[in-house]
Amino acid sequence: MKKVVKFGGSSLASAEQFKKVGEIIREDKARRYVVPSAPGKRFSKDIKVTDMLYDCYETAVAGKDFSDKLKKIQERYQEIIDGLDLDFSLKDDFKIIEENFRNGAGMDYAASRGEFLNGKVMAAYLDIPFVDAAEVVRFNEDGSFNDEVTNELLSDRLSDLERAVIPGFYGAKEDGTVVTFSRGGSDISGSLVALAVHADLYENWTDVSGFLIADPRIVRNSKSIEIITYKELRELSYMGASVLHEDAIFPVRKAGIPINIRNTNAPQDKGTLIVESTCRKSKYTITGIAGTDGFAAITVEKAMMNSEIGFCRKVLQVFEDNGVSIEHMPSGIDTMTIFVRKDTFEEKEQKILSDINKAVHPDHIELESDLALIAVVGRGMKSTRGTAGRIFSALAHAHINVKMIDQGSSELNIIVGVRHEDFKNAIRALYEIFVLTQL
């Protein structure tokens, strides 16, 4: 079996954390390819190394003395090296970094050094080869990611290496100019390595034991999700549930490689397994509950709307022409309601209302803001009768008025709209009926 393991910043913030990671890797010989992030926070008020590098580089670009700031970064790494009792030095690497900072190597280069240096420390600690991501992860001249060339480079380089450390988060253009993914991009790097080596499993180690059924900030002691499909994950991610960088899903999904979200601080936990499909039934009718607020609803009313050909298209064209994306669109015989993100709609509110009036001459337009959308997601819903009824029952019992309900044709999710002030209570009510009482 062949596994790619990616470790987040909190998992590599100190020598103590490095030792935990080392134990995890050595425990399973299948864990052959390691993708590390830059050191994260050691404690709540600590500063991530990536943020220290940004600050240091900005000071250098401003023409100010940045030696003290660079020294503090070097001390962070030296603390890890000393704590691991390694006969290893990053002095030469820091000399090169200092010179490149003076020469204005770029913000992406500066940010990438966190992973680069941590990768070197990890390779020394595990005594396995280090592969610089700049040599195997390719970006185009315009800064866009080149997946085909990257897969070729990674596959070729790693084919001769039984084990290796490949730092996450960055790559380079053909000329060597370093380019980074967005924050959290080490997740993407891990999936690219998994694809290149035809891994059997991609383990993504972080500081939580996988996905939780509901946001722990809203539902205390929320139970975890044992197994989830990519489709379910997509629905929950859209509503704000986030443990994994979304772009990290596509390379491994295409290759049929499962992802296992694990906890570095609780390696005995199985975490959450993300798969393309499964015949394993969920423990509960639902897989997860997620929601987000900050929506507005525009309800357009017109008698005999249903008999007017092109009515809906004309209304939607107004939003498209004004560059506003539509989230949901429930409708009735003489009404249609458009849910949009409040912040983007407010900027163009009056222009959109004016354009709708010109386009379809409605009888009435009603606006409602401060709304929230909640998704109840689960592959088990399709084969379970009365799911929508239980949703209404739970919300009614909690004295919450439903502003909208929308069910996808896949029967994988049901989305309800509620007032902003009812948002958290609604999630708690849904969690209670589907997970705690299992009615």
Side-chain angles (χ1 to χ4, degrees), residues 70-114:
L70 191 62
K71 185 180 178 182
K72 286 182 180 179
I73 297 170
Q74 190 169 359
E75 287 171 353
R76 278 285 292 271
Y77 283 100
Q78 194 59 48
E79 183 181 292
I80 294 172
I81 292 168
D82 292 343
L84 298 174
D85 295 321
L86 290 177
D87 182 18
F88 176 73
S89 175
L90 290 172
K91 286 183 180 180
D92 291 341
D93 293 295
F94 271 98
K95 285 180 182 178
I96 294 170
I97 291 170
E98 182 179 5
E99 183 180 346
N100 288 333
F101 274 26
R102 291 190 191 281
N103 295 331
M107 193 66 84
D108 278 12
Y109 170 81
S112 73
R113 295 307 86 183

Side-chain angles (χ1 to χ4, degrees), residues 1 4 21 42 88 101 104 135 177 181-182 226 236 245 252 261 306 317 355 360 364 380 386 392 405 411 424 432 437:
M1 195 172 185
V4 170
V21 167
R42 296 163 293 184
F88 176 73
F101 274 26
E135 299 173 3
T177 303
F181 292 106
S182 59
E226 293 180 0
L236 291 171
H245 195 298
V252 288
I261 308 296
N306 64 309
Q317 187 70 49
D355 289 350
V360 296
H364 179 64
F392 281 121
I405 185 162
E411 298 183 53
K424 292 182 179 179
E432 183 174 342
T437 60

Side-chain angles (χ1 to χ4, degrees), residues 217-219 289 372 374 391 394-401 416 418-433:
R217 294 169 297 183
I218 299 174
V219 176
I289 305 164
I374 299 168
I391 290 173
L395 296 179
H397 190 262
H399 307 290
I400 295 168
N401 184 33
V416 293
V418 299
R419 297 286 301 171
H420 166 74
E421 56 265 29
D422 294 326
F423 176 53
K424 292 182 179 179
N425 284 337
I427 288 180
R428 293 187 189 108
L430 293 169
Y431 181 86
E432 183 174 342
I433 200 167

Side-chain angles (χ1 to χ4, degrees), residues 6 8 23 41 52 88 125 143 163 184 208 218 311 326 328 342 347 360 375 378 419 439:
K6 177 263 175 182
E23 287 178 13
K41 293 182 178 183
M52 295 174 73
F88 176 73
Y125 180 51
R163 305 182 71 200
V208 294
I218 299 174
F311 186 92
I326 290 168
H328 289 277
K342 182 183 173 184
E347 297 173 10
V360 296
R419 297 286 301 171
L439 293 177

Side-chain angles (χ1 to χ4, degrees), residues 166-412:
I166 310 98
F169 186 45
Y170 73 95
K173 298 179 183 178
E174 189 70 37
D175 64 2
T177 303
V178 171
V179 181
T180 60
F181 292 106
S182 59
R183 278 269 174 126
S186 291
D187 291 338
I188 302 173
S189 301
S191 67
L192 295 173
V193 174
L195 177 65
V197 301
H198 307 289
D200 297 292
L201 183 66
Y202 169 32
E203 290 183 342
N204 192 298
W205 293 80
T206 179
D207 54 5
V208 294
S209 296
F211 290 100
L212 299 177
I213 292 176
D215 189 335
R217 294 169 297 183
I218 299 174
V219 176
R220 287 186 180 180
N221 302 315
S222 171
K223 296 183 184 297
S224 60
I225 300 170
E226 293 180 0
I227 186 166
I228 186 172
T229 64
Y230 287 114
K231 286 182 179 179
E232 290 172 306
L233 177 62
R234 172 76 177 115
E235 296 287 350
L236 291 171
S237 296
Y238 168 73
M239 281 298 176
S242 179
V243 173
L244 188 68
H245 195 298
E246 232 178 271
D247 292 340
I249 294 170
F250 296 106
V252 288
R253 181 178 184 179
K254 184 170 62 175
I257 301 169
I259 304 174
N260 195 187
I261 308 296
R262 301 286 293 273
N263 189 344
T264 305
N265 301 312
Q268 71 279 0
D269 293 350
K270 291 182 179 180
T272 299
L273 189 65
I274 308 168
V275 298
E276 178 62 37
S277 60
T278 179
C279 62
R280 285 170 59 180
K281 289 186 177 181
S282 177
K283 189 175 180 181
Y284 310 102
T285 300
I286 65 165
T287 298
I289 305 164
T292 185
D293 55 7
F295 290 96
I298 303 94
T299 299
V300 181
E301 296 182 18
K302 188 174 184 181
M304 303 300 292
M305 181 189 87
N306 64 309
S307 63
E308 189 173 327
I309 296 172
F311 186 92
C312 292
R313 178 191 58 77
K314 291 174 186 176
V315 174
L316 297 179
Q317 187 70 49
V318 169
F319 287 90
E320 181 182 343
D321 292 344
N322 283 277
V324 175
S325 178
I326 290 168
E327 304 296 330
H328 289 277
M329 194 189 74
S331 62
I333 297 174
D334 293 328
T335 63
M336 64 179 295
T337 302
I338 299 97
F339 277 75
V340 293
R341 298 278 177 179
K342 182 183 173 184
D343 53 356
T344 56
F345 173 70
E346 281 184 337
E347 297 173 10
K348 303 171 182 178
E349 176 190 272
Q350 295 306 311
K351 175 71 164 56
I352 289 173
L353 295 179
S354 175
D355 289 350
I356 290 174
N357 275 297
K358 292 175 184 175
V360 296
H361 309 292
D363 296 332
H364 179 64
I365 298 178
E366 184 179 338
L367 299 181
E368 194 166 8
S369 61
D370 295 323
L371 298 173
L373 296 180
I374 299 168
V376 180
V377 177
R379 59 190 181 279
M381 291 163 53
K382 189 172 185 178
S383 58
T384 305
R385 289 178 295 177
T387 302
R390 276 179 281 177
I391 290 173
F392 281 121
S393 176
L395 296 179
H397 190 262
H399 307 290
I400 295 168
N401 184 33
V402 176
K403 308 297 294 184
M404 180 217 48
I405 185 162
D406 188 12
Q407 181 171 13
S409 56
S410 65
E411 298 183 53
L412 190 68

